[in-house]
Amino acid sequence: MTKLLTLVSRLILGIIFLGAGINGFFVIFGIDPFIETSDAAMEIFQFDYLLVFEKSLEVICGILLLSNRFVPLALAILAPIIANILLLHIFMDPSLLLLAIVLVICHSTLLVIYRKNFLALLEKKPIIKIPDIPSS
C-alpha cells in the first residue's frame, strides 16, 4: 500500500511540476501557454530572471521525481515553491486552490514516507566528522 501511495504521489507531483515548468517557459518567452496563468499571479513575477530560475527548478524536480532519483532532494527544493503556490492561491487567486491543495497533500505524503532522510536536519547538536588528512 505504501509503495502504491509513494508511486502515485511522486508521479502526480512530477507530472504537475514538469508540465508547469515547461508551461512557464512559454509565458516567459511570450508564446501562448498551454494553460492560462491569471493576471494576478503574473503580477508577482516582475523579474523574469526569477521566473526562469523557478521554472527551471520545477522542470528539474519534475524530472527527478518521475525518474525516482534524488527524491528527498527534489522534495526539499519543492517545499518553499509549494508553500508559495498555496499562499498565492489562498490570498490572491483562488481559481487553482484545489490544485495547490493536491500539491500540498502529495508533498506531505512523500515527506512522511521519506522522513528518515530528513531526520538528521532536526538534530539539536549534530555530530561533525572531520576526516583525517594523511600527511605525506
Side-chain angles (χ1 to χ4, degrees):
M1 184 66 180
T2 305
K3 286 185 179 186
L4 179 64
L5 187 61
T6 304
L7 177 67
V8 169
S9 295
R10 193 172 46 77
L11 290 177
I12 289 172
L13 274 181
I15 290 168
I16 290 173
F17 277 107
L18 182 61
I22 292 171
N23 189 60
F25 283 112
F26 288 108
V27 172
I28 294 166
F29 297 126
I31 304 169
D32 287 335
F34 302 120
I35 302 169
E36 281 297 317
T37 307
S38 71
D39 293 334
M42 288 312 296
E43 284 177 16
I44 293 174
F45 299 108
Q46 295 175 358
F47 307 105
D48 287 342
Y49 62 91
L50 292 176
L51 192 58
V52 169
F53 182 71
E54 180 191 349
K55 293 304 175 182
S56 298
L57 285 176
E58 288 180 8
V59 169
I60 291 167
C61 290
I63 291 170
L64 290 176
L65 289 169
L66 291 174
S67 64
N68 198 21
R69 301 282 183 242
F70 302 105
V71 173
L73 175 63
L75 292 175
I77 292 170
L78 288 175
I81 295 172
I82 291 174
N84 281 320
I85 291 170
L86 179 66
L87 293 173
L88 170 89
H89 291 297
I90 287 175
F91 295 114
M92 292 189 68
D93 182 22
S95 63
L96 292 175
L97 183 59
L98 183 61
L99 179 64
I101 292 170
V102 168
L103 289 176
V104 169
I105 291 170
C106 289
H107 189 261
S108 300
T109 301
L110 289 174
L111 282 177
V112 169
I113 291 169
Y114 286 96
R115 68 185 171 273
K116 289 183 181 176
N117 294 284
F118 297 103
L119 288 177
L121 295 172
L122 301 175
E123 288 184 17
K124 189 173 184 179
K125 291 189 175 187
I127 299 170
I128 300 173
K129 295 181 182 178
I130 301 173
D132 292 332
I133 300 173
S135 58
S136 353

